Amino acid sequence: MTATHATRQEPEADSTAVPELSIVMPCLNEIETLATCIDKAKRFLRESGIEGEVIIADNGSTDGSIEAAIAHGARVVPVPVRGYGAALGAGIAAARGHFVIMGDSDDSYDFSRLHVYVDGLRAGADLVMGNRFKGGIKPGAMPFLHKYLGNPVLSFIGRLFFRIPVGDFHCGLRGFRRERMIGLGLTTTGMEFASEMIVRSALAGFDIREVPTTLSPDGRSRPPHLRTWRDGWRHLRFLLLFSPRWLFLYPGLIIMGLGALLVSALLPGPMQVIPGVVLDIHSIIVGCLALIIGAQCLGFAIIARRYAALRGFLPASDRVARWPIPTRLEPSLIVAGILGVAGIGGFLYSLTQWWDVGFGPLVYGQLVRVLTVSCTAIALALQLAFTAFLSAIIDIDIKDR
């Protein structure tokens, strides 16, 4: 059955009735479990006395899932763009309820037991997350790598990067206020949609709460759509892209700090660390490279943070805006000029030493130290100047034509 045909068979919605709750399930060939999930959700609405609807966001099923959904009283929303996030985004947009509860249609979550989600939303929460580690993971419900590596590690990274009090970032059963969630403008189309929802909610200051949720083995005879390493990387990639501090700033500070320590310790001369181990010119070169790489990371951190704020997918940061370097052009160029003059001075000093021997062979040692540090200062000056100009370009106002 084509998507167009499915749309014609949808029960007509009463535009005057606004249900309290919409239960949204993404679907791609879930004929084995879809009817069970819909029946449980319908029973929950009926027994709870909640005015609601069940929406199936279909991602192109060809196994009869669409017909089954309509037969069991669900509203089908065809979603031509493939992907978990694309399906859920379309389903949420089509929902009419004040609250939305989303969950997988593989019968791994019990849609007849949604009271804790509704209670949390009625109590004022903007997002109610399920926690499978607190509610219980039945034998065979979650692969070993997901249970003991993927979920714990990615959830820890999410808590560390964004200070979100959520123990299970990837629980597929969650409830939220529809209008607030739509206002975030979620954009991802794949499995990382789960992470985007939590991160963007936290950055927007949403009231996020957790409830215990039980995960059961799904009822499908085929493998799940989830791909462990591919989708795990997509989640990690998303967390890094939304946290310039952890992607650029903190690594840059560490690398630059180690470089500065090496250079300052070795500029006067060689240093014996332990008996038989002497740090000399080779180590000061490594330190200078670390200074350059670290400075570049810091520049990336500032530019990425300002660009993200201008694009609207990260909130503006007053602390970043107050930094004169490299966010403001003129102060940055002054500092770059001082660094450049110092570097050129050291370079000219090295050149005069070479001139004194008729541009012949040199006795290396202190001269190489001065030359290496001087060239590093010139490189840092150029980096800072170019980064400041890039920041200024980003800040140019784009006026309506």
Side-chain angles (χ1 to χ4, degrees):
M1 179 182 292
T2 64
T4 303
H5 191 193
T7 303
R8 287 199 299 268
Q9 294 193 44
E10 289 182 26
E12 291 185 4
D14 180 2
S15 59
T16 62
V18 179
E20 181 182 17
L21 177 64
S22 296
I23 301 174
V24 178
M25 306 178 198
C27 175
L28 175 59
N29 295 327
E30 303 288 5
I31 188 62
E32 295 178 297
T33 55
L34 185 61
T36 300
C37 293
I38 295 172
D39 290 345
K40 287 182 178 180
K42 288 278 189 178
R43 185 167 73 250
F44 166 75
L45 293 173
R46 184 173 60 254
E47 293 178 354
S48 302
I50 297 174
E51 183 69 26
E53 61 179 352
V54 178
I55 295 176
I56 304 303
D58 187 75
N59 225 183
S61 296
T62 56
D63 65 346
S65 294
I66 296 174
E67 293 87 344
I70 295 172
H72 285 259
R75 181 157 63 98
V76 176
V77 176
V79 187
V81 178
R82 285 293 181 96
Y84 175 77
L88 280 171
I92 294 167
R96 295 180 293 120
H98 180 56
F99 302 136
V100 172
I101 294 178
M102 56 173 258
D104 301 335
S105 55
D106 58 5
D107 201 26
S108 57
Y109 299 110
D110 189 352
F111 285 99
S112 67
R113 302 170 62 90
L114 302 178
H115 301 85
V116 290
Y117 290 88
V118 176
D119 291 345
L121 292 169
R122 285 174 172 173
D126 296 306
L127 172 62
V128 179
M129 290 290 305
N131 188 318
R132 298 165 293 182
F133 298 99
K134 290 182 178 179
I137 301 172
K138 294 184 179 181
M142 185 181 292
F144 180 87
L145 279 177
H146 296 192
K147 185 175 182 179
Y148 296 104
L149 180 64
N151 271 300
V153 169
L154 289 173
S155 295
F156 169 77
I157 292 173
R159 291 193 299 272
L160 178 66
F161 283 12
F162 303 100
R163 301 174 185 173
I164 304 173
V166 170
D168 185 3
F169 255 59
H170 303 103
C171 181
L173 189 61
R174 53 186 75 177
F176 46 86
R177 297 177 183 273
R178 178 181 174 275
E179 291 302 324
R180 294 217 72 188
M181 193 59 66
I182 287 179
L184 293 179
L186 305 180
T187 59
T188 53
T189 59
M191 289 292 182
E192 68 274 24
F193 181 86
S195 294
E196 183 185 14
M197 178 180 287
I198 303 175
V199 170
R200 298 284 293 274
S201 296
L203 292 173
F206 283 14
D207 181 350
I208 303 175
R209 307 179 191 181
E210 264 193 326
V211 295
T213 297
T214 301
L215 181 71
S216 303
D218 66 59
R220 299 174 297 198
S221 60
R222 60 166 177 79
H225 297 300
L226 181 68
R227 296 294 179 265
T228 299
W229 298 107
R230 181 198 66 184
D231 292 319
W233 162 244
R234 292 180 72 164
H235 281 286
L236 178 59
R237 175 181 179 271
F238 176 85
L239 295 176
L240 289 169
L241 291 178
F242 268 69
S243 182
R245 285 185 306 159
W246 288 92
L247 180 59
F248 297 123
L249 180 62
Y250 296 152
L253 288 173
I254 292 171
I255 294 170
M256 197 169 185
L258 291 174
L261 184 63
L262 271 176
V263 171
S264 60
L266 298 176
L267 187 57
M271 181 178 68
Q272 180 171 291
V273 181
I274 58 175
V277 177
V278 177
L279 301 183
D280 201 354
I281 294 172
H282 55 286
S283 298
I284 205 171
I285 292 173
V286 171
C288 288
L289 289 174
L291 282 172
I292 294 173
I293 295 170
Q296 187 69 77
C297 287
L298 295 182
F300 284 164
I302 301 297
I303 296 300
R305 190 62 183 77
R306 291 171 68 82
Y307 178 75
L310 288 172
R311 286 284 304 275
F313 59 86
L314 286 181
S317 172
D318 292 336
R319 286 181 297 176
V320 173
R322 285 196 299 265
W323 289 6
I325 301 169
T327 61
R328 300 177 193 170
L329 183 59
E330 287 75 15
S332 299
L333 292 180
I334 291 172
V335 175
I338 294 171
L339 270 175
V341 168
I344 292 171
F347 179 82
L348 292 176
Y349 167 79
S350 302
L351 190 62
T352 59
Q353 297 300 302
W354 190 24
W355 185 22
D356 288 344
V357 296
F359 298 108
L362 285 166
V363 177
Y364 290 93
Q366 190 62 27
L367 181 60
V368 174
R369 284 182 170 77
V370 173
L371 181 61
T372 302
V373 174
S374 299
C375 290
T376 301
I378 294 171
L380 290 174
L382 292 172
Q383 261 189 339
L384 177 56
F386 291 144
T387 302
F389 274 110
L390 178 58
S391 179
I393 291 173
I394 290 177
D395 283 340
I396 293 175
D397 291 330
I398 301 175
K399 302 184 182 298
D400 293 334
R401 295 186 179 181

